Amino acid sequence: MRRGASYFGNGDYERAFADVNQAIDIDPRNFKAYSNRGILYTIQREYERAISDATKAIEINPKFPNPYAVRGNAYQGQGDHDRAIADLTKAIELDPKSAGAYANRANIHAIKGEYDQAVADSTRAITIDPKLVGSYVSRAGFRAQKGDYDQAIADGTKAIEIDPASTRAYVIRANSFIRKGDFDRAIADATRAIEINPKDPNAYDNRGFAHGRKGDYDRAIADDTKAIEIDPKLAHVYRNRAMAYDQKGDYDLAIADYAKLIEIEPKNFGDAMSVGLSRFVKGDFERASVDLLHALELRADVYAILFRYLARARSGEGDAALAELAENAQRLKVRVWPYAFIELYLGKRSPDEMLAAAVKVSDRCLTQFYVGEWHALKGNSGEAVAALSGAVGICPKETMEYRTSTAELARLKS
């Protein structure tokens, strides 16, 4: 099988198949040949054949660890994670120094969301083979999933020391820097990943997100666009780009991205809400009310209820909008802040009462905005301008209250 093994390394699978088939023809009990053919079938995603060959090898020699690992990997390919773990565990029992079996089992634990077990298996693989760069990279990813960003960065750094061309290590480290709020270092790592592999969408995704958090929306949009060109199925990148367009005031482009998102994930409440808000900020109240109704069909949310009411009221459906507001309010099982603004619009609270009760900056932001909207609906333009101006002065610029207040002021003053 030496010649066949060299064909494995060269990627000449056709000749490798020929060799293992010949070995089996010569000796039908050649368990290593069955195991190797199982590897070839797994590479070609012919998992049933891989499982069959690995099982045959196990029947011939149940003490040989390799076919358990082969069958475990094939089960993983089929999505049968429990059987995969069972086989890889057996391979480890027979060969406790199999770094590859630990590494593969770690990945399956991670797929199942079992990150503690994934970290433990990766650590064992690294203990056996301290130069196993893939396990450092994987452990970095698992630790990042657990929120252990400093340890994830340390693992990414070690992986890069071993293999300076490890794109994935740079990408994972960049993501961890993002989580820590260190956007400059995230951008540096993502840029290095792009230099190594200009076709990695995750590197553009990370860099675009970091640019967006720094307020550099043009660069964020450019990177998000590149990531989408490489992989059009990355739904969250459309979301990031839509948010950047929103921040720039390019609402038509934001709406187009949210519409694409809704095609991909039609039951995502956040996207339905976001497209409705973008239309509201743009002043397209009728279509905003339709989108917000869709959001409410997905979830009874107080903000969706409030903006659905405002959109309908601004479209001239005052009485119907108010009746629906009262009806929607009954859908809320928990009536906590900002439920009080529903009571404001239903006439159960006064604007002065709301303003007096708002103490924290975040509460004052919301109150200035919703009181401003209350005055706008009543035709009190001076009071509306004053309250909305207050919102612009204290609301963070990335919030919907800031963007909506800015747009409403422009409409009121025109």
Side-chain angles (χ1 to χ4, degrees):
M1 287 300 294
R2 288 180 184 173
R3 186 175 61 187
S6 70
Y7 294 150
F8 269 101
N10 294 333
D12 190 346
Y13 301 122
E14 184 176 348
R15 297 179 75 178
F17 265 117
D19 271 4
V20 293
N21 287 337
Q22 183 181 29
I24 290 168
D25 288 341
I26 293 170
D27 179 6
R29 294 188 62 77
N30 187 333
F31 55 88
K32 290 184 179 180
Y34 281 108
S35 182
N36 285 339
R37 193 169 68 178
I39 294 172
L40 289 169
Y41 280 133
T42 301
I43 291 170
Q44 296 195 339
R45 300 185 180 183
E46 296 187 46
Y47 300 122
E48 285 297 336
R49 288 184 172 184
I51 291 166
S52 177
D53 271 355
T55 301
K56 182 66 175 178
I58 291 166
E59 289 172 353
I60 297 169
N61 184 358
K63 298 298 184 181
F64 185 49
N66 290 17
Y68 290 100
V70 172
R71 192 170 67 178
N73 293 336
Y75 279 135
Q76 180 185 359
Q78 289 185 324
D80 193 339
H81 305 310
D82 291 334
R83 282 186 174 180
I85 287 175
D87 270 348
L88 288 165
T89 300
K90 183 64 177 179
I92 290 167
E93 289 174 2
L94 294 170
D95 181 9
K97 293 187 176 181
S98 176
Y102 278 108
N104 289 344
R105 192 173 69 175
N107 291 332
I108 299 169
H109 278 307
I111 291 170
K112 295 183 69 180
E114 298 166 351
Y115 295 111
D116 287 334
Q117 295 95 316
V119 168
D121 273 353
S122 294
T123 301
R124 184 58 183 159
I126 290 166
T127 302
I128 296 166
D129 183 357
K131 297 295 185 182
L132 196 60
V133 64
S135 286
Y136 281 106
V137 174
S138 294
R139 191 172 69 177
F142 305 150
R143 283 175 162 168
Q145 288 290 338
K146 284 165 51 65
D148 297 334
Y149 302 120
D150 288 331
Q151 289 185 316
I153 289 167
D155 274 343
T157 301
K158 183 64 177 179
I160 290 165
E161 289 174 3
I162 299 169
D163 179 10
S166 175
T167 305
R168 187 163 167 249
Y170 280 107
V171 167
I172 290 174
R173 196 170 70 172
N175 186 264
S176 295
F177 281 132
I178 287 171
R179 300 298 179 184
K180 285 172 62 67
D182 192 341
F183 303 120
D184 288 333
R185 294 178 77 180
I187 289 168
D189 269 358
T191 299
R192 181 60 185 141
I194 290 166
E195 290 169 354
I196 297 167
N197 180 10
K199 297 294 184 182
D200 188 332
N202 297 306
Y204 290 101
D205 172 22
N206 280 341
R207 192 171 70 175
F209 186 85
H211 279 311
R213 291 301 300 270
K214 289 189 68 178
D216 192 341
Y217 300 118
D218 288 330
R219 286 184 175 175
I221 289 165
D223 277 342
D224 291 340
T225 299
K226 186 64 178 179
I228 290 167
E229 287 174 1
I230 297 169
D231 186 354
K233 295 182 180 179
L234 288 175
H236 69 277
V237 183
Y238 285 100
R239 188 173 296 114
N240 292 343
R241 190 172 68 175
M243 291 169 64
Y245 281 136
D246 266 338
Q247 293 297 329
K248 280 174 58 67
D250 293 335
Y251 298 116
D252 287 334
L253 293 173
I255 289 165
D257 272 351
Y258 285 127
K260 181 65 177 178
L261 274 167
I262 291 169
E263 286 179 18
I264 298 171
E265 299 177 356
K267 294 187 178 181
N268 187 300
F269 165 81
D271 296 333
M273 182 76 176
S274 293
V275 71
L277 293 174
S278 292
R279 293 194 197 279
F280 189 98
V281 175
K282 183 186 172 186
D284 188 352
F285 301 120
E286 289 186 12
R287 295 178 72 181
S289 69
V290 173
D291 289 322
L292 292 164
L293 177 61
H294 176 216
L296 280 170
E297 289 169 348
L298 297 171
R299 183 192 304 173
D301 174 85
V302 63
Y303 289 102
I305 289 171
L306 284 164
F307 271 92
R308 163 74 175 173
Y309 164 70
L310 291 173
R312 290 195 71 190
R314 295 296 292 277
S315 299
E317 302 179 68
D319 292 340
L322 200 60
E324 183 190 56
L325 177 66
E327 183 180 336
N328 282 333
Q330 299 303 313
R331 297 174 58 191
L332 295 172
K333 295 180 181 178
V334 180
R335 298 182 179 183
V336 295
W337 184 264
Y339 179 83
F341 297 114
I342 293 177
E343 295 182 326
L344 168 67
Y345 294 127
L346 292 175
K348 297 179 180 179
R349 293 176 184 261
S350 71
D352 290 341
E353 179 185 354
M354 297 298 298
L355 290 167
V359 177
K360 295 188 297 183
V361 173
S362 59
D363 293 346
R364 287 168 55 209
C365 163
L366 291 175
T367 302
Q368 291 284 358
F369 169 69
Y370 285 111
V371 167
E373 289 292 303
W374 185 91
H375 280 300
L377 290 174
K378 299 292 185 182
N380 306 329
S381 60
E383 292 86 344
V385 168
L388 293 169
S389 296
V392 170
I394 60 175
C395 293
K397 290 185 177 180
E398 67 272 12
T399 62
M400 61 182 177
E401 287 80 20
Y402 176 88
R403 289 187 290 112
T404 309
S405 294
T406 302
E408 293 285 58
L409 283 170
R411 284 190 279 269
L412 286 166
K413 294 176 180 180
S414 62

